[in-house]
Amino acid sequence: MLTTIIYRSHICKNVPFESVMDMVAAAKLRNDQADVTGILLFNGTHFLQLIEGPEESVLKIYQHICQDERHCNIVELLCDHGPTRRFGKTGMELFDLREHDSERVLQTVLDKGTSKYQLIYNDRALKFLRTFVSATEKENYFEIPPADSWVFIPDEGESHTNLAAPDNTADCCFAFQPMVDPFAQEIISTEALLRTPGGGSPEIYFAGLTGNELYQADLNSKKVAFAMASALKLGKHSVSVNLLPMALVMIPDAVNFLLREIQINGLVPEQVTIEFTECEVISRIDEFTDAVRQLKSAGINVAIDHFGAGFGGLLLLAQFQPDRIKINRELIKDVHKSGPRQAIIQAIIKCCASLEIAISAVGVEKPEEWMWLESAGITHFQGNLFASARLSGVAAVAWPERKADL
Ligand code: C2E
Ligand code: MN
């Protein structure tokens, strides 16, 4: 299958242009052998390359390209399939945009094309070339430093520790994970994550429960969550708990149950956030928003969890605006390398800014993911990079320090 990949990258510091020419010569040979063709545009700082050919060869060559140390911040913009090659003449041609008159440069690039049709019709690949040549997207090219320019140092001095004796009469337990603002070195909130008494996952805890049993178990578990949060002496910190949205709809008096448990455990509603998973919300939106109105009237904050993972994301947001949106790990994963993920997250950020909704990124594992998200404007993060979930306790947060500052 004829496959096309387009990526953008940044030339590394101290890489002379001659070394790029050497790379082009080597690539030309390799691409010819693999029946891969394309074009490489360079504007003095950035590359934009289109490679096309048999799927397996294109993927293999792209992997090879990603390992080349002469460029960095490599972002895959397009991976698509088509009937014919656009640039079929050569294994690899370097096109230095600086050598051409800016008025005519796009046409000169297009003149290199070999396809009769795609260069004329509304072709996505062609549009990427046009946008790069006209540099209209430049403000979205975030140049992030290498992963090893930061070290993450656990803050052992923090007072949160394990609970000496968690309530072992309860049929559930909780792990806690902080959500942090790394630059401010501040814990924004601590999330209680359901576990079996032995530390098993929420799925294991809920396994075998159906319908109202499930909702009742979920709601009841919050009694333990608030008791443990209170025993952890989180002080004025916010506490977040997850709840199936239908628990609020199906169980009479669920909101009062939550308010009572919050009060019994010495917490105040304003420091509590309830996180709902979006795909379950949309099915009975009217009843759900009614229950949420009660929560909000009592002072409790509401977050939409796993935003972007379900079907209802944008429609739900049109109908109901929470205090916070938590972006799903699947969108966060390798965001620094993926054009589509970057575009989606930037759109979410813009949307939440217009609606004054706080955003956090969940499941951040890599320094590059965090740095890209910070550059895009996200300041609140949860993930193993900073602190993993810990059963009956809160792990010390590993705050980032720039190596040069140490
Ligand atoms: P969530 O609310 O998005 O919670 C974050 C999940 O991601 C947690 O998994 C956490 O351990 C995991 N995680 C945190 N940092 C990282 C990371 O850097 N990488 C990766 N790969 N994972 C990370 P956990 O505890 O297994 O919870 C899974 C989901 O189960 C939660 O996702 C939440 O939606 C649900 N859940 C947890 N507690 C409850 C609860 O009390 N009630 C209900 N209904 N659902 C719950
Ligand atoms: Mn959650």
Side-chain angles (χ1 to χ4, degrees):
M1 191 184 286
L2 184 72
T3 299
T4 307
I5 288 184
I6 298 181
Y7 73 86
R8 183 189 68 229
S9 65
H10 193 275
I11 191 166
C12 286
K13 264 194 211 130
N14 309 325
V15 171
F17 191 61
E18 299 77 70
S19 128
V20 174
M21 303 301 280
D22 295 346
M23 184 261 293
V24 169
K28 197 169 168 58
L29 274 178
R30 201 175 50 237
N31 292 4
D32 275 341
Q33 279 165 5
D35 194 23
V36 169
T37 58
I39 191 161
L40 172 66
L41 308 184
F42 182 60
N43 66 9
T45 51
H46 291 87
F47 297 103
L48 184 101
Q49 185 171 16
L50 178 152
I51 49 175
E52 51 193 358
E55 184 168 23
E56 209 179 307
S57 312
V58 167
L59 293 177
K60 210 164 131 204
I61 284 185
Y62 183 57
Q63 259 178 15
H64 192 92
I65 289 172
C66 287
Q67 277 151 17
D68 195 310
E69 291 184 345
R70 283 166 284 205
H71 65 166
C72 53
N73 289 317
I74 304 152
V75 179
E76 184 179 321
L77 299 172
L78 170 142
C79 180
D80 204 359
H81 310 280
T84 48
R85 291 172 197 256
R86 298 166 182 90
F87 296 91
K89 260 190 251 151
T90 168
M92 157 94 111
E93 183 170 1
L94 176 68
F95 191 96
D96 191 336
L97 300 176
R98 298 169 299 175
E99 289 172 2
H100 297 267
D101 172 50
S102 61
E103 300 270 292
R104 297 212 54 257
V105 62
L106 180 63
Q107 194 52 52
T108 320
V109 171
L110 298 184
D111 289 345
K112 303 274 176 196
T114 54
S115 156
K116 256 203 300 203
Y117 305 113
Q118 275 108 337
L119 299 192
I120 304 168
Y121 292 111
N122 257 347
D123 179 32
R124 282 183 66 218
L126 167 65
K127 290 182 187 174
F128 274 111
L129 298 186
R130 189 176 58 204
T131 303
F132 182 73
V133 168
S134 59
T136 47
E137 272 277 308
K138 221 166 175 182
E139 74 273 11
N140 295 328
Y141 302 178
F142 303 143
E143 308 306 342
I144 54 174
D148 64 3
S149 46
W150 296 89
V151 283
F152 293 80
I153 303 173
D155 187 350
E156 300 297 353
E158 260 172 42
S159 57
H160 313 310
T161 45
N162 289 343
L163 288 181
D167 177 3
N168 51 18
T169 59
D171 75 340
C172 67
C173 194
F174 279 84
F176 290 82
Q177 185 179 36
M179 178 208 293
V180 299
D181 180 338
F183 280 153
Q185 298 219 347
E186 193 185 330
I187 294 177
I188 303 299
S189 169
T190 303
E191 180 170 7
L193 296 157
L194 184 62
R195 296 288 182 266
T196 65
S201 68
E203 293 80 52
I204 297 176
Y205 181 80
F206 286 134
L209 298 178
T210 50
N212 267 8
E213 265 176 359
L214 179 65
Y215 302 134
Q216 193 71 59
D218 197 15
L219 185 68
N220 283 349
S221 74
K222 302 297 122 41
K223 189 184 170 80
V224 180
F226 293 135
M228 289 179 75
S230 170
L232 281 170
K233 302 211 174 9
L234 298 177
K236 292 196 292 303
H237 278 158
S238 300
V239 184
S240 303
V241 295
N242 300 277
L243 188 67
L244 292 166
M246 283 307 115
L248 283 187
V249 173
M250 304 300 286
I251 299 178
D253 227 22
V255 173
N256 284 331
F257 172 86
L258 291 169
L259 287 171
R260 212 165 38 242
E261 291 304 324
I262 289 169
Q263 196 197 2
I264 289 171
N265 290 294
L267 303 169
V268 293
E270 284 75 6
Q271 80 185 116
V272 175
T273 299
I274 302 199
E275 303 183 358
F276 298 102
T277 298
E278 57 168 84
C279 57
E280 289 159 340
V281 173
I282 202 74
S283 55
R284 291 175 72 170
I285 187 78
D286 290 341
E287 288 155 291
F288 174 72
T289 38
D290 203 48
V292 164
R293 234 172 262 155
Q294 295 176 50
L295 290 178
K296 300 281 320 204
S297 309
I300 294 179
N301 303 290
V302 174
I304 294 293
D305 213 351
H306 303 262
F307 190 80
F311 299 107
L314 295 177
L315 180 56
L316 174 62
L317 197 54
Q319 293 173 314
F320 157 71
Q321 296 79 46
D323 301 291
R324 178 181 292 280
I325 270 173
K326 299 184 79 170
I327 305 178
N328 195 47
R329 157 95 193 128
E330 287 307 310
L331 280 176
I332 300 298
K333 192 169 175 232
D334 285 332
V335 61
H336 57 293
K337 294 195 230 172
S338 159
R341 282 179 167 71
Q342 294 182 0
I344 292 165
I345 290 177
Q346 282 174 315
I348 296 176
I349 294 172
K350 195 150 184 258
C351 173
C352 288
S354 305
L355 297 170
E356 300 294 354
I357 295 172
I359 303 186
S360 43
V362 179
V364 180
E365 290 181 359
K366 297 181 184 168
E368 299 97 317
E369 292 166 348
W370 162 63
M371 285 185 283
W372 189 89
L373 294 161
E374 280 274 4
S375 311
I378 294 183
T379 52
H380 297 167
F381 300 88
Q382 201 174 324
N384 295 348
L385 181 65
F386 302 103
S388 321
R390 174 181 288 183
L391 189 66
S392 306
V394 188
V397 179
W399 299 112
E401 301 274 358
R402 215 181 250 282
K403 256 192 192 153
D405 297 341
L406 290 180

